[in-house]
Amino acid sequence: MCVCPGPRRIGIPVRSSSLPLFSDAMPAPTQLFFPLIRNCELSRIYGTACYCHHKHLCCSSPYVPQSRLRYTPHPAYATFCRPKENWWQYTQGRRYASTPQKFYLTPPQVNSILKANEYSFKVPEFDGKNVSSILGFDSNQLPANAPIEDRRSAATCLQTRGMLLGVFDGHAGCACSQAVSERLFYYIAVSLLPHETLLEIENAVESGRALLPILQWHKHPNDYFSKEASKLYFNSLRTYWQELIDLNTGESTDIDVKEALINAFKRLDNDISLEAQVGDPNSFLNYLVLRVAFSGATACVAHVDGVDLHVANTGDSRAMLGVQEEDGSWSAVTLSNDHNAQNERELERLKLEHPKSEAKSVVKQDRLLGLLMPFRAFGDVKFKWSIDLQKRVIESGPDQLNDNEYTKFIPPNYHTPPYLTAEPEVTYHRLRPQDKFLVLATDGLWETMHRQDVVRIVGEYLTGMHHQQPIAVGGYKVTLGQMHGLLTERRTKMSSVFEDQNAATHLIRHAVGNNEFGTVDHERLSKMLSLPEELARMYRDDITIIVVQFNSHVVGAYQNQE
Amino acid sequence: MMFYRLLSIVGRQRASPGWQNWSSARNSASAAEAHSMALPTQAQVVICGGGIMGTSVAYHLSKMGWKDIVLLEQGRLAAGSTRFCAGILSTARHLTIEQKMADYSNKLYHQLEQETGIQTGYTRTGSIFLAQTQDRLISLKRINSRLNVIGIPSEIISPKKVAELHHLLNVHDLVGAMHVPEDAVVSSADVALALASAASQNGVQIYDRTSVLHVMVKKGQVTGVETDKGQIECQYFVNCAGQWAYELGLSNEEPVSIPLHACEHFYLLTRPLETPLQSSTPTIVDADGRIYIRNWQGGILSGGFEKNPKPIFTEGKNQLEIQNLQEDWDHFEPLLSSLLRRMPELETLEIMKLVNCPETFTPDMRCIMGESPAVQGYFVLAGMNSAGLSFGGGAGKYLAEWMVHGYPSENVWELDLKRFGALQSSRTFLRHRVMEVMPLMYDLKVPRWDFQTGRQLRTSPLYDRLDAQGARWMEKHGFERPKYFVPPDKDLLALEQSKTFYKPDWFDIVESEVKCCKEAVCVIDMSSFTKFEITSTGDQALEVLQYLFSNDLDVPVGHIVHTGMLNEGGGYENDCSIARLNKRSFFMISPTDQQVHCWAWLKKHMPKDSNLLLEDVTWKYTALNLIGPRAVDVLSELSYAPMTPDHFPSLFCKEMSVGYANGIRVMSMTHTGEPGFMLYIPIEYALHVYNEVMSVGQKYGIRNAGYYALRSLRIEKFFAFWGQDINNLTTPLECGRESRVKLEKGMDFIGRDALLLQKQNGVYKRLTMFILDDHDTDLDLWPWWGEPIYRNGQYVGKTTSSAYSYSLERHVCLGFVHNFSEDTGEEQVVTADFINRGEYEIDIAGYRFQAKAKLYPVASLFTQKRRKDDMELSDLHGK
């Protein structure tokens, strides 16, 4: 039986703060591990640790009797989940017992961990007249799972205007989030394309000519694309645009971004599902499409075109707008609704979509069917397909799949599928000059930090970078000494900010290292980052953040035009 | 505040005659009158820009008798950078020409109030340049030595003396200072107004609120200007548009490239001190702290040149950027800290304002003056690197002389517009380069400093090969040239640490390169040289060239002639080597930075209607210099052709094959006096030939060498280089090159009359070689250039270049010896006897070293099988 006490997406809904290991003030590392290991809790820790690394869900909640879901590791599991050596061996191998002080990470080590995945993009300066309303973005992610299950994407639409940015939080593996991160923007871009452009692209494919590029990706080197599936994905996408072409009635209507986003989300999820049902003659691909379909991912995507900001959200990642008030203070405007048990309307929706008889079972312990935390997601066909279909696909599927306990397990009270949808909720916001930035982040951030703090920290970071509030002497009486004091203070403040060149990194530093006073405690940060992979997941989730910075001048100019 | 002050002065002066054209514009009653005044339809000269530069040019032109002048100002007179200028006039400059300009300006402004009746606020405060480090003190001492010899009083003083001169200064971290007592502060706007007023009285017509749209050009000659108020026909146009000069230059149909770029510049104004600072309080320049401080209305004015300048107006004039020119206190913070460290008592002083006024900078930190190489009659005076007030008077005078006489009274090559070409005109280049130049204003200026930005623009095809072999690079006219090659096992100091006035870290590296040149063979990539081909269908080429060049070019095909292009005064406009390729075709090799100047000179003096074809082939050839006694062996092995002096005499040029490559121009000369060959290789063969030379050369001990080795070799042999040692005020007779002049052949050429006269009367200066005697290479300061030369204790001239001679194991300096009359200071004839009979000393930063003067190179350097070929050497013996 796997008991996962961490804030897993699927599993028990226990938050890290309730863990006995970390109280508000972190214990010293020796206290952190060795007393625990020496005393009778050893077995509990060991048990926890060795099961927590499972990348997929095999457990439901602590209330489920152990006997009902016994998990037996299988050799085939190796390829499915890449098991790690368990934590016990890990600590033994590293000899932490003999040199506990080595456990501390130095500030440069901490920085190298924090900065390993950071990426920044600046919209090119010499843009002539087409000045973008986006100055650029910073993104970063910090893994808790190994490998990380979060994904991120950013791209500029080349055939239409606008930029797409998204974070994707995977569960039960990273296959689905990876696929969505590669594919979703193409579906959105295609949905946004005018009829003529679609025709042009289709004709080019037909006649073997070079295709119009659709997206300009802005990727960190670690953000990879699957080469193997690229052809399969392309064919599905092509089928989609062919249908769009066929559906076109000839009237050139303005493309509605909201509709395009919804269509793209639904279509991709549909394709994921279809590909898994149809299978692929190539055994590698066949296995891949099944893994994609049986794992899941939430998505939070922003489309920015001039002052038009659309956020399409499926699941519990969040888009937060940073607004600077006239007095310089910061406030947060939420642009997405979490699709989980905390959202009354989602609860309502689920109850409406299923018979009254299921009213009690459809959401249990704040989870869908007692299992899944997000109420909307890509993939997760276990919550979408009929039992028959699931069984058929699994039986005809490769052995690895067939032998996997998780995929074979049918959720309890599974009567009227589908229980899950990938349809996003789309929010529109018209940018104003006071809207300075947008934070897109997976729930790993939001569960550790309040949205108000997030916006304040990013806001202060960005203004520090830009001196946005210059000092002016005006008519006041200021002496050189006073001014000097003021400037020195500003500079010290700024240099602490300058440790990070990336707003997302700065935010992660706070999310992981903040003490009770809301300032970064290096010791805490060091300890959190030096947790062995297997433990890390208990104290934090994968965190993925994109901070998009808006160009207030351009936004203001748009406003003035009208 | 300053602006109101300006208005009040204008108001006071309005009654004086000759003002109504422009000053009345400020007065609503007479404004209409000014605007109704139509522009004249023609004038001899149109000056664009009513700042200190434009008014100074107008003032000087009108003084020299030119009256038909129109000055146009787009806004109001003296309202641009001139208005915001900090008002410090400082003569402590690094270049002698700059010192002279500033000195003249100082004298001019001093008497301007008397001359025009306009108050200029001129106050002789003196200035103190602080040194926080020994290196800074050396730098100041070098300037001090040079100031003294041109008659500007200055002295090196102790920190204690500094404290006496300025009681607010914290002097605890100082090692010394330089005091220049005659430096002054002055209101630059008022100076400009005074100059304008005087010019106006001399007949110059001044129109404000009139913008020049573009300059009209016909057949490469200025014909007029188009303004927003109509056209004016003119013969001469002067671009004094300050930071807009670049844009204005580009607005022509035939663009004039004026490489300059503005950076924001900040200074602080305070309220008066409790005991207001006296107006005679000296100006402080604390370069190590990056700030200047002057007294201002009882308080202080302090600004500086920060390490991280903010370039502005990269895309041209931009209203948004002008509006955003605000006080940036965070940016000013390091300078403010520095100010409070220097004057701690100012803590309680109240701030009045932080002024942000863009200043203009140029790619080499020298101002830009002179005539456009492309458009005749188009003159420029701009790019003052924030020294506009100090240079204004002098620069205006030189430019006026240039326009009236055809040349200025001093050599201004270092400031000449023609030192730049279109290649320095990229906005990106300028933006990046000025960000390096502005901090350099207060950085320590050490010998052999290379700019780090805007590099790798022009490179030889061998660049990567050489770089991989350890080449360290310097840049000339955008071209990367190797300085020396760092062997794989050797490390040099980091850039900042390598700054020194003493023995540099590359000393041993260059020594081994020099030794290899003397004993075996070295290869130096000298592709940067300017290369022209001049051809004609008939004999016109020879005819024209005989008139343009001082030496006889009617030599058999295949011969190379060292010659010069002289001006009417007999001075060198260019020093070059010309190979006669065939009867009608000549190949001309000039210094790298001559590319623009030499082209313009040829174009200007070649008959317009001749069918002479002049082509710049610089980019077509890679030039390799094979120096050393074994060069002959390498080449004959690669060409299967005998290369001995019998078959290939010195100063000979032949097209031959080297390795597989055919058509390589091989010339038996090395520009150093060492035996060897220059190979001019069509660029596609460059890598092949280089590889062959290196591989065959291995057994002869070949290695790469750089320009530092070349420099040491040429200076020890008394080879003068144009632009460093000789310039357009140096005649062949003054540098012992009479043999390169066809005076006896009865042929006319430009400058002949002047030379004949000089030959009759004798020369007033003579290029001389000095060998330092009691100089310790390891411990003493190294000579650079510009060091004063003393003969029997009397100042006689300055050095022009210097190098360590590894053969003589001594430093060698080249420099001019004058003979100033002890009574009148007048220049007298310099004879060989005069030179030989003196006891000489060279002043390096205040320390004098004994030196032996020589008019001929040291014979022992040529002991190896002396080939009669070395015409280059025999030339120096004179006849």
Side-chain angles (χ1 to χ4, degrees):
Chain A
M1 169 58 212
C2 169
V3 179
C4 297
R8 315 261 331 193
R9 174 159 309 283
I10 315 178
I12 54 162
V14 180
R15 294 287 161 129
S16 56
S17 55
S18 65
L19 275 170
L21 272 176
F22 282 86
S23 56
D24 279 342
M26 298 248 309
T30 44
Q31 291 166 317
L32 184 61
F33 295 105
F34 303 103
L36 296 175
I37 289 166
R38 284 192 204 102
N39 70 27
C40 55
E41 282 191 292
L42 174 67
S43 58
R44 198 180 76 84
I45 300 283
Y46 176 67
T48 305
C50 80
Y51 281 108
C52 263
H53 66 271
H54 300 154
K55 299 309 164 303
H56 60 284
L57 164 76
C58 62
C59 60
S60 52
S61 74
Y63 310 103
V64 179
Q66 289 200 359
S67 54
R68 265 181 55 196
L69 275 170
R70 180 130 201 117
Y71 169 68
T72 327
H74 186 275
Y77 166 83
T79 48
F80 196 96
C81 292
R82 289 214 288 134
K84 300 286 174 194
E85 76 274 44
N86 68 40
W87 175 71
W88 177 249
Q89 291 162 338
Y90 185 77
T91 51
Q92 287 295 302
R94 297 285 174 89
R95 291 171 168 268
Y96 284 126
S98 56
T99 52
Q101 65 276 18
K102 273 201 174 169
F103 203 74
Y104 285 107
L105 297 174
T106 60
Q109 286 172 319
V110 164
N111 283 345
S112 78
I113 292 175
L114 286 180
K115 295 179 178 189
N117 290 317
E118 71 178 11
Y119 176 79
S120 287
F121 173 76
K122 270 207 174 82
V123 174
E125 220 179 273
F126 293 105
D127 215 341
K129 281 158 269 168
N130 284 325
V131 193
S132 168
S133 58
I134 292 183
L135 284 173
F137 69 85
D138 292 336
S139 79
N140 198 354
Q141 47 185 201
L142 181 70
N145 292 297
I148 186 168
E149 293 177 350
D150 277 7
R151 291 292 183 271
R152 58 184 157 169
S153 295
T156 306
C157 298
L158 296 177
Q159 300 304 324
T160 55
R161 293 174 313 160
M163 196 170 190
L164 287 163
L165 305 117
V167 294
F168 311 98
D169 184 349
H171 48 261
C174 58
C176 188
S177 53
Q178 173 64 34
V180 173
S181 75
E182 290 177 37
R183 304 176 68 183
L184 181 59
F185 286 10
Y186 279 112
Y187 280 74
I188 296 172
V190 161
S191 310
L192 288 167
L193 286 181
H195 183 64
E196 310 81 66
T197 316
L198 287 174
L199 270 180
E200 197 178 333
I201 293 172
E202 173 58 22
N203 288 338
V205 177
E206 203 50 51
S207 55
R209 275 184 286 121
L211 299 183
L212 285 176
I214 299 177
L215 291 177
Q216 175 72 52
W217 291 96
H218 311 299
K219 290 196 316 187
H220 187 275
N222 289 356
D223 301 339
Y224 62 95
F225 277 6
S226 144
K227 274 203 184 105
E228 297 79 7
S230 153
K231 198 164 166 45
L232 173 75
Y233 291 168
F234 177 80
N235 286 335
S236 298
L237 183 70
R238 187 181 172 197
T239 315
Y240 177 40
W241 81 55
Q242 284 172 336
E243 280 175 33
L244 287 176
I245 291 172
D246 293 343
L247 281 174
N248 187 281
T249 49
E251 319 151 26
S252 58
T253 45
D254 275 346
I255 287 161
D256 180 52
V257 179
K258 180 175 176 177
E259 211 173 298
L261 287 166
I262 293 174
N263 290 343
F265 272 61
K266 283 161 77 176
R267 176 68 184 209
L268 174 59
D269 193 46
N270 203 37
D271 282 355
I272 286 172
S273 168
L274 270 179
E275 283 155 9
Q277 291 172 42
V278 174
D280 195 284
N282 175 321
S283 65
F284 178 86
L285 277 185
N286 195 32
Y287 186 40
L288 177 76
V289 294
L290 287 166
R291 275 190 298 156
V292 169
F294 276 92
S295 58
T298 71
C300 187
V301 174
H303 177 262
V304 188
D305 176 6
V307 286
D308 298 322
L309 166 64
H310 286 87
V311 174
N313 184 46
T314 287
D316 54 4
S317 291
R318 213 180 273 173
M320 195 69 64
L321 192 64
V323 181
Q324 190 168 32
E325 305 296 345
E326 272 179 24
D327 63 357
S329 67
W330 293 95
S331 59
V333 171
T334 316
L335 291 182
S336 63
N337 297 313
D338 297 351
H339 300 135
N340 58 19
Q342 277 67 52
N343 183 338
E344 286 297 330
R345 280 195 310 181
E346 281 295 291
L347 285 170
E348 208 57 34
R349 175 179 66 83
L350 277 170
K351 281 178 186 161
L352 280 175
E353 284 174 2
H354 298 279
K356 273 233 162 70
S357 56
E358 293 184 48
K360 283 198 174 149
S361 61
V362 73
V363 177
K364 260 186 158 176
Q365 279 104 41
D366 282 354
R367 293 179 176 231
L368 186 65
L369 298 177
L371 293 170
L372 191 61
M373 271 169 56
F375 288 179
R376 299 192 195 193
F378 282 93
D380 282 327
V381 291
K382 292 173 60 60
F383 297 88
K384 290 174 180 164
W385 289 353
S386 68
I387 295 177
D388 277 358
L389 181 59
Q390 291 193 36
K391 283 189 170 154
R392 192 152 44 82
V393 169
I394 290 168
E395 268 158 31
S396 64
D399 291 347
Q400 299 104 307
L401 191 71
N402 209 7
D403 294 337
N404 189 297
E405 294 286 338
Y406 167 66
T407 48
K408 274 162 101 175
F409 161 71
I410 302 290
N413 302 312
Y414 198 77
H415 306 300
T416 50
Y419 286 89
L420 192 63
T421 175
E423 176 168 341
E425 205 175 343
V426 179
T427 322
Y428 171 74
H429 178 81
R430 192 185 153 80
L431 288 174
R432 307 156 298 171
Q434 62 265 42
D435 301 332
K436 300 298 180 188
F437 58 88
L438 176 73
V439 181
L440 296 173
T442 54
D443 62 340
L445 174 72
W446 306 112
E447 67 197 11
T448 55
M449 277 179 96
H450 191 269
R451 59 198 188 119
Q452 194 58 46
D453 292 333
V454 168
V455 165
R456 182 184 50 79
I457 286 165
V458 174
E460 283 174 4
Y461 171 80
L462 292 178
T463 45
M465 296 268 287
H466 290 165
H467 316 216
Q468 272 179 354
Q469 287 167 290
I471 305 179
V473 177
Y476 299 103
K477 277 194 164 188
V478 187
T479 68
L480 290 177
Q482 287 167 337
M483 179 59 87
H484 184 232
L486 182 62
L487 293 174
T488 320
E489 194 183 307
R490 275 162 72 99
R491 204 163 69 129
T492 344
K493 202 170 159 191
M494 219 176 329
S495 64
S496 73
V497 166
F498 271 126
E499 197 177 0
D500 294 317
Q501 268 93 49
N502 182 304
T505 310
H506 191 64
L507 204 44
I508 291 178
R509 190 186 296 277
H510 277 274
V512 178
N514 258 10
N515 58 18
E516 59 268 45
F517 307 112
T519 54
V520 175
D521 175 346
H522 177 75
E523 204 176 309
R524 184 184 169 91
L525 187 60
S526 156
K527 280 175 200 158
M528 284 294 274
L529 292 179
S530 47
L531 287 174
E533 282 175 357
E534 319 304 333
L535 270 182
R537 187 60 188 85
M538 301 200 304
Y539 297 101
R540 56 167 208 267
D541 195 356
D542 293 337
I543 299 177
T544 299
I545 301 172
I546 300 179
V547 178
V548 191
Q549 219 188 323
F550 298 117
N551 188 340
S552 300
H553 293 294
V554 174
V555 170
Y558 268 102
Q559 213 172 34
N560 293 338
Q561 275 170 17
E562 284 150 27
Chain B
M1 175 68 196
M2 291 180 100
F3 186 54
Y4 288 119
R5 221 154 49 82
L6 183 65
L7 282 190
S8 65
I9 286 156
V10 169
R12 268 206 313 280
Q13 293 300 326
R14 225 167 35 76
S16 61
W19 277 73
Q20 49 274 55
N21 282 351
W22 49 281
S23 68
S24 54
R26 288 171 171 74
N27 182 305
S28 58
S30 48
E33 186 186 76
H35 286 293
S36 65
M37 291 258 309
L39 286 183
T41 54
Q42 65 176 60
Q44 187 186 11
V45 182
V46 172
I47 300 170
C48 171
I52 194 149
M53 291 303 150
T55 53
S56 173
V57 172
Y59 171 87
H60 286 99
L61 278 178
S62 64
K63 280 239 151 157
M64 292 170 79
W66 283 21
K67 302 290 181 193
D68 189 9
I69 299 167
V70 172
L71 189 152
L72 305 176
E73 161 59 44
Q74 60 173 358
R76 286 173 174 171
L77 222 47
S81 297
T82 300
R83 181 182 127 210
F84 287 113
C85 172
I88 299 168
L89 195 153
S90 150
T91 49
R93 302 282 159 190
H94 285 272
L95 294 180
T96 300
I97 184 71
E98 291 177 342
Q99 291 175 350
K100 285 181 178 168
M101 289 197 301
D103 187 39
Y104 173 84
S105 302
N106 198 356
K107 290 176 176 135
L108 174 72
Y109 304 162
H110 183 54
Q111 54 82 45
L112 206 55
E113 192 167 325
Q114 207 176 6
E115 181 185 337
T116 63
I118 295 173
Q119 287 184 6
T120 57
Y122 183 96
T123 315
R124 192 157 271 180
T125 59
S127 50
I128 305 170
F129 296 80
L130 309 181
Q132 293 184 26
T133 63
Q134 288 299 338
D135 272 348
R136 177 70 64 184
L137 195 58
I138 291 167
S139 177
L140 292 176
K141 283 175 175 171
R142 292 182 59 91
I143 295 174
N144 184 58
S145 297
R146 280 195 259 176
L147 283 176
N148 289 337
V149 298
I150 62 167
I152 301 173
S154 72
E155 60 173 335
I156 298 295
I157 56 174
S158 67
K160 205 175 142 199
K161 184 79 193 297
V162 174
E164 283 168 26
L165 287 167
H166 199 309
H167 65 280
L168 288 174
L169 283 182
N170 164 22
V171 297
H172 298 301
D173 56 349
L174 300 184
V175 296
M178 176 172 71
H179 184 216
V180 188
E182 291 189 0
D183 277 359
V185 296
V186 61
S187 155
S188 56
D190 295 342
V191 166
L193 292 178
L195 290 171
S197 159
S200 182
Q201 279 169 8
N202 280 336
V204 174
Q205 305 175 63
I206 300 173
Y207 297 87
D208 62 1
R209 297 165 192 268
T210 307
S211 303
V212 175
L213 302 177
H214 61 89
V215 177
M216 297 180 290
V217 178
K218 225 176 246 167
K219 288 185 186 157
Q221 168 77 44
V222 170
T223 58
V225 294
E226 178 84 51
T227 76
D228 58 352
K229 304 255 169 76
Q231 286 187 357
I232 307 176
E233 278 179 34
C234 65
Q235 287 165 265
Y236 294 94
F237 175 74
V238 189
N239 182 342
C240 298
Q243 57 198 349
W244 316 120
Y246 172 83
E247 292 293 318
L248 182 59
L250 291 187
S251 68
N252 288 0
E253 222 169 285
E254 182 153 9
V256 175
S257 159
I258 305 163
L260 48 82
H261 192 292
C263 282
E264 293 180 44
H265 175 66
F266 296 89
Y267 63 80
L268 171 79
L269 297 174
T270 72
R271 309 253 172 226
L273 274 72
E274 230 165 90
T275 340
L277 219 51
Q278 295 204 325
S279 63
S280 62
T281 312
T283 299
I284 304 295
V285 176
D286 180 3
D288 297 306
R290 306 199 150 273
I291 51 166
Y292 57 80
I293 312 160
R294 60 160 279 200
N295 76 76
W296 186 77
Q297 301 196 345
I300 62 143
L301 180 162
S302 172
F305 298 99
E306 63 273 22
K307 274 189 168 154
N308 51 337
K310 295 165 81 177
I312 190 170
F313 303 133
T314 305
E315 291 162 73
K317 202 170 189 171
N318 179 328
Q319 283 308 321
L320 192 72
E321 280 185 313
I322 292 174
Q323 282 162 18
N324 284 345
L325 273 180
Q326 281 160 356
E327 45 192 332
D328 185 344
W329 280 100
D330 292 302
H331 191 71
F332 193 71
E333 188 269 337
L335 301 181
L336 179 60
S337 299
S338 185
L339 170 66
L340 290 177
R341 201 162 43 243
R342 188 55 55 215
M343 296 188 180
E345 285 171 49
L346 298 188
E347 285 257 348
T348 53
L349 192 58
E350 196 187 320
I351 294 167
M352 189 160 111
K353 117 187 249 200
L354 186 65
V355 180
N356 180 357
C357 67
E359 290 279 356
T360 314
F361 297 88
T362 60
D364 59 0
M365 214 170 44
R366 300 171 186 170
C367 73
I368 296 174
M369 66 160 72
E371 190 175 9
S372 154
V375 181
Q376 280 189 43
Y378 193 119
F379 283 82
V380 177
L381 184 58
M384 289 296 145
N385 299 291
S386 78
L389 179 66
S390 300
F391 295 158
K397 180 182 93 160
Y398 290 142
L399 194 80
E401 288 172 351
W402 202 329
M403 293 171 69
V404 174
H405 303 310
Y407 48 88
S409 57
E410 289 281 343
N411 168 48
V412 295
W413 167 247
E414 285 149 322
L415 316 176
D416 193 333
L417 172 64
K418 289 193 280 287
R419 73 189 186 274
F420 297 120
L423 70 95
Q424 284 92 355
S425 207
S426 136
R427 287 180 205 262
T428 315
F429 166 78
L430 289 172
R431 183 181 171 91
H432 290 181
R433 175 57 68 82
V434 296
M435 285 173 74
E436 183 182 358
V437 165
M438 180 164 152
L440 209 55
M441 299 287 300
Y442 277 170
D443 280 346
L444 198 60
K445 284 168 202 69
V446 293
R448 302 165 295 267
W449 178 252
D450 301 306
F451 285 105
Q452 303 298 308
T453 52
R455 293 289 297 270
Q456 292 180 328
L457 176 57
R458 302 169 75 202
T459 57
S460 138
L462 304 175
Y463 180 86
D464 284 348
R465 280 297 309 268
L466 302 182
D467 199 56
Q469 295 175 77
R472 292 289 183 276
W473 302 90
M474 61 200 261
E475 170 250 1
K476 187 92 175 182
H477 203 57
F479 212 111
E480 296 291 332
R481 317 199 289 188
K483 294 192 285 193
Y484 45 80
F485 287 78
V486 182
D489 54 339
K490 211 168 151 98
D491 275 334
L492 287 188
L493 296 171
L495 200 63
E496 268 314 300
Q497 278 111 51
S498 68
K499 285 183 168 184
T500 179
F501 290 98
Y502 293 90
K503 182 176 161 180
D505 54 351
W506 43 258
F507 185 83
D508 299 337
I509 295 175
V510 173
E511 176 172 27
S512 53
E513 287 177 12
V514 164
K515 217 169 154 194
C516 186
C517 286
K518 290 193 175 277
E519 292 166 4
V521 55
C522 276
V523 55
I524 305 183
D525 185 339
M526 294 178 56
S527 306
S528 71
F529 274 10
T530 298
K531 304 173 269 285
F532 289 166
E533 260 178 31
I534 304 159
T535 45
S536 65
T537 46
D539 291 334
Q540 301 95 324
L542 182 63
E543 274 169 42
V544 171
L545 295 186
Q546 285 288 40
Y547 180 66
L548 286 179
F549 291 85
S550 57
N551 206 349
D552 188 5
L553 294 176
D554 193 7
V555 290
V557 168
H559 279 248
I560 301 169
V561 178
H562 287 312
T563 181
M565 279 162 39
L566 307 184
N567 52 34
E568 292 292 345
Y572 275 104
E573 289 294 332
N574 183 15
D575 180 29
C576 52
S577 306
I578 295 186
R580 189 163 193 185
L581 299 176
N582 59 48
K583 281 269 172 214
R584 290 156 186 171
S585 177
F586 295 84
F587 186 71
M588 172 179 172
I589 301 148
S590 318
T592 307
D593 49 2
Q594 273 278 358
Q595 197 169 20
V596 178
H597 176 73
C598 174
W599 180 269
W601 181 268
L602 282 170
K603 279 279 173 194
K604 192 171 175 180
H605 290 87
M606 274 178 6
K608 297 275 178 288
D609 50 350
S610 76
N611 47 5
L612 217 59
L613 184 69
L614 175 65
E615 191 189 358
D616 185 344
V617 294
T618 304
W619 61 276
K620 281 189 183 172
Y621 294 95
T622 298
L624 289 183
N625 194 351
L626 251 59
I627 305 181
R630 310 310 297 264
V632 103
D633 304 300
V634 175
L635 262 195
S636 55
E637 197 170 326
L638 275 172
S639 60
Y640 287 94
M643 301 295 289
T644 54
D646 310 336
H647 298 90
F648 208 130
S650 180
L651 286 179
F652 208 70
C653 169
K654 228 191 256 183
E655 272 202 9
M656 51 192 281
S657 62
V658 176
Y660 299 150
N662 202 6
I664 313 294
R665 278 183 194 154
V666 178
M667 302 185 189
S668 44
M669 63 171 193
T670 62
H671 302 278
T672 59
E674 298 293 330
F677 300 90
M678 284 292 301
L679 311 185
Y680 284 88
I681 310 161
I683 51 166
E684 70 260 40
Y685 297 146
L687 200 57
H688 171 76
V689 171
Y690 175 79
N691 287 341
E692 290 294 304
V693 163
M694 290 308 273
S695 96
V696 165
Q698 249 177 355
K699 61 172 172 274
Y700 302 108
I702 200 166
R703 58 176 291 166
N704 292 300
Y707 269 71
Y708 283 5
L710 185 86
R711 185 182 166 80
S712 167
L713 288 169
R714 70 106 177 154
I715 289 177
E716 74 179 12
K717 300 234 180 43
F718 204 170
F719 270 44
F721 261 31
W722 191 92
Q724 274 174 45
D725 306 304
I726 57 180
N727 56 47
N728 62 4
L729 293 181
T730 315
T731 69
L733 305 188
E734 291 162 352
C735 53
R737 289 178 168 188
E738 204 179 328
S739 62
R740 293 189 187 179
V741 182
K742 52 192 171 202
L743 277 182
E744 315 299 331
K745 301 206 175 171
M747 259 179 284
D748 193 21
F749 60 92
I750 303 175
R752 181 168 186 262
D753 298 343
L755 292 187
L756 284 173
L757 194 68
Q758 199 175 43
K759 193 173 180 190
Q760 203 179 339
N761 296 343
V763 296
Y764 289 93
K765 62 179 184 225
R766 182 71 157 86
L767 188 68
T768 310
M769 177 164 116
F770 295 93
I771 299 169
L772 294 192
D773 261 350
D774 56 348
H775 184 271
D776 186 323
T777 309
D778 292 316
L779 300 177
D780 286 329
L781 287 167
W782 273 34
W784 182 6
W785 55 267
E787 290 90 11
I789 303 165
Y790 290 90
R791 177 186 178 274
N792 301 340
Q794 292 279 314
Y795 167 72
V796 289
K798 280 197 281 282
T799 62
T800 52
S801 60
S802 70
Y804 182 78
S805 162
Y806 293 93
S807 317
L808 301 172
E809 296 179 327
R810 288 275 186 284
H811 264 285
V812 176
C813 304
L814 306 186
F816 282 98
V817 173
H818 300 248
N819 180 2
F820 299 111
S821 153
E822 271 181 57
D823 311 322
T824 61
E826 239 179 297
E827 289 193 54
Q828 298 171 326
V829 170
V830 177
T831 60
D833 196 40
F834 175 82
I835 287 175
N836 291 333
R837 283 200 319 189
E839 295 284 325
Y840 291 89
E841 287 170 311
I842 308 273
D843 176 335
I844 306 175
Y847 306 99
R848 291 193 187 177
F849 296 94
Q850 287 171 19
K852 277 202 189 72
K854 302 217 169 262
L855 283 173
Y856 310 104
V858 181
S860 66
L861 293 175
F862 306 101
T863 44
Q864 335 100 308
K865 289 171 279 169
R866 208 161 152 198
R867 298 202 241 127
K868 63 166 185 170
D869 55 357
D870 279 333
M871 280 271 282
E872 291 151 318
L873 312 175
S874 54
D875 286 348
L876 293 161
H877 292 262
K879 298 237 160 86

